[in-house]
Amino acid sequence: MHKLLLHNGRIVPTSERGISPGQVGFLNGWGVFSTIRVVDGVLFAFERHWARMSRDAELLHVPMPARDAFHADLLRLINANDARNATLRTAVVRNRGGFFEGEGIESDFDVVAFTTGLNRWGESVALGVQADARHGSSPFAGTKVTSWVQNLTFLENARAQGYDEVVLLDEHGRVSECTSANIFAEVRTGEVYTPPLFSGCLPGVTRAILLEEIRADQYEIREKHLSLDDLYAAPSVFITSTTRELLPVAAIAGRPLLRTGNAAWDLQAAFSSYMRAYAAKTSPVGTH
């Protein structure tokens, strides 16, 4: 984490203590968050991150700040940390409600954001498997909430077994996602699929851009339920997230994958071009 963070419009040292135990969202995980890539000082795909946070906040009754002021504050943090190419995480946390609301709470919500350097993920990942980890028919399926402990525990368990991440299955035994990434498979040459949202997966921003914006002539990208057998038989499997972009999967549950397809590399090149074009046409001081 860089030395400064954003807290309710103020840029302060990360060491400053500004949270009260009586703010119910911090004790209960009652908030929404997003992780945003900063590209040449631009908040990449900000409008998509904002839309998802706003949708989840409405569902969970979390008050939200004004969009333009929020965007401007995030840019001030980027400038303060000289984080022109970095990762930014921001959360909006509800402060009131429930039985244990503290006294003296001045705002209905807190906005917190911080930046950090880009992570080096390596050339591929090995995934474990976790059954019954997503419930697609839940009314809160796919929400990105600050109560992240289940994902952190799944990931910690997977890493204790020597894996980098873990494939989470839904209640029907179908592939849903990973703890912090969506998953894609080139089931047949040129045909790339990712689980539908009603598998319980998060509507990731990178996932949405691949489905809606990326045009690579030799590939058709669509939603479809996937099984573990589909992944084992696929010429190419990769995971996607804001921080990883597209990252090939080398093995699942200790079983090496075929890795004969080129979808991960070809679509990464297309995604990189899209990201550069987005940054080039977007003003860091604007509200786009």
Side-chain angles (χ1 to χ4, degrees):
M1 182 186 302
H2 294 151
K3 64 180 181 178
L4 300 173
L5 61 77
L6 172 74
H7 184 205
N8 293 342
R10 299 170 56 237
I11 306 295
V12 298
T14 56
S15 58
E16 180 173 303
R17 298 181 181 181
I19 305 301
S20 165
Q23 293 171 266
V24 297
F26 286 102
L27 290 179
N28 297 286
W30 202 349
V32 297
F33 78 98
S34 201
T35 303
I36 306 175
R37 176 71 182 273
V38 184
V39 182
D40 296 337
V42 169
L43 290 161
F44 175 62
F46 172 77
E47 67 283 355
R48 289 182 178 271
H49 287 280
W50 172 261
R52 185 180 62 193
M53 289 182 73
S54 298
R55 183 210 66 189
D56 292 350
E58 182 177 6
L59 181 64
L60 296 163
H61 306 159
V62 176
M64 286 288 286
R67 177 189 183 277
D68 289 354
F70 177 65
H71 184 267
D73 283 344
L74 297 182
L75 290 178
R76 288 197 299 113
L77 175 66
I78 290 169
N79 290 332
N81 279 329
D82 193 23
R84 289 183 51 79
N85 289 282
T87 300
L88 181 147
R89 175 164 291 189
T90 184
V92 180
V93 182
R94 178 169 167 167
N95 285 339
R96 303 182 190 277
F99 295 107
F100 298 102
E101 178 184 327
E103 296 182 1
I105 304 299
E106 297 180 355
S107 174
D108 290 340
F109 61 90
D110 267 24
V111 174
V112 178
F114 57 86
T115 60
T116 189
L118 300 176
N119 193 40
R120 296 182 181 274
W121 292 101
E123 296 183 355
S124 63
V125 289
L127 307 180
V129 177
Q130 176 64 55
D132 297 314
R134 288 294 183 260
H135 184 50
S137 59
S138 167
F140 300 114
T143 54
K144 193 162 187 176
V145 296
T146 53
S147 180
W148 207 244
V149 62
Q150 292 183 5
N151 287 319
L152 293 174
T153 303
F154 287 148
L155 180 60
E156 194 169 81
N157 290 343
R159 288 183 172 173
Q161 298 172 48
Y163 302 117
D164 302 301
E165 246 283 10
V166 55
V167 179
L168 305 179
L169 306 182
D170 68 11
E171 67 270 34
H172 304 292
R174 301 174 301 204
V175 173
S176 178
E177 60 177 347
C178 297
T179 66
S180 61
N182 292 110
I183 191 164
F184 287 74
E186 184 182 10
V187 174
R188 285 176 293 276
T189 301
E191 296 181 21
V192 178
Y193 296 101
T194 190
L197 295 181
F198 52 86
S199 70
C201 67
L202 183 81
V205 168
T206 305
R207 174 189 185 275
I209 290 172
L210 285 174
L211 285 168
E212 300 169 16
E213 302 286 347
I214 298 301
R215 297 292 177 263
D217 292 340
Q218 67 270 43
Y219 294 103
E220 183 176 6
I221 309 173
R222 293 185 293 177
E223 293 180 317
K224 178 184 177 181
H225 280 302
L226 297 171
S227 67
L228 283 175
D229 285 341
D230 291 329
L231 301 187
Y232 290 134
S236 174
V237 178
F238 57 93
I239 62 175
T240 66
S241 71
T242 291
T243 57
R244 298 175 182 88
E245 299 178 21
L246 283 66
L247 189 59
V249 178
I252 298 175
R255 179 172 170 177
L257 300 188
L258 296 176
R259 304 187 71 187
T260 56
N262 295 316
W265 312 113
D266 293 339
L267 293 174
Q268 173 64 66
F271 182 82
S272 295
S273 295
Y274 176 90
M275 187 162 56
R276 288 193 299 269
Y278 180 102
K281 71 180 181 182
T282 305
S283 169
V285 297
T287 57
H288 179 59

